[in-house]
């Protein structure tokens, strides 16, 4: 009898990106009292984390990660273009 062990690759980069986005929202709230930063950080961080989970289960299932990171890159890229401030908009836009 042959026992086959399936090893699934964990999307550590995706989970790290999710943590970066969520912690950025929390930091924005703590430093400036910005509830929209907190909400957006937790929403997009949660979506990125869910996308990392899906990619860990099936490496071909990239659509949630792609949508979350693409949307966030567009929003933060525009903010970076307008403000020229590296933190937080340039950091998040460049992270993905």
């Amino acid at each position: 009898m042959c026992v086959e062990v399936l090893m699934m690759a964990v999307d550590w980069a995706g989970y790290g990106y999710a943590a970066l986005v969520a912690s950025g929202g929390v930091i924005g709230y703590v430093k400036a009292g910005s509830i929209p930063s907190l909400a957006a950080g937790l929403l997009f961080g949660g979506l990125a984390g869910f996308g990392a989970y899906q990619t860990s289960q099936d490496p071909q299932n990239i659509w949630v990660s792609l949508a979350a990171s693409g949307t966030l890159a567009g929003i933060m890229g525009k903010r970076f273009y307008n403000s020229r401030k590296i933190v937080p908009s340039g950091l998040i836009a460049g992270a993905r």
Side-chain angles (χ1 to χ4, degrees), residues 10-92:
V10 177
D11 184 10
W12 292 113
Y15 285 122
Y17 178 71
L20 177 70
V21 171
S23 63
V26 171
I27 291 169
Y29 175 74
V30 169
K31 287 182 78 175
S34 173
I35 293 175
S37 289
L38 177 64
L42 294 179
L43 173 70
F44 282 102
L47 285 172
F50 180 64
Y53 170 77
Q54 285 189 323
T55 304
S56 295
Q57 298 301 309
D58 177 13
Q60 300 296 318
N61 193 2
I62 61 168
W63 301 110
V64 173
S65 293
L66 186 63
S69 64
T71 302
L72 200 53
I75 292 168
M76 295 306 249
K78 184 177 183 329
R79 287 184 64 190
F80 172 69
Y81 180 78
N82 291 335
S83 71
R84 299 286 190 231
K85 292 182 182 178
I86 297 295
V87 177
S89 54
L91 177 66
I92 297 297

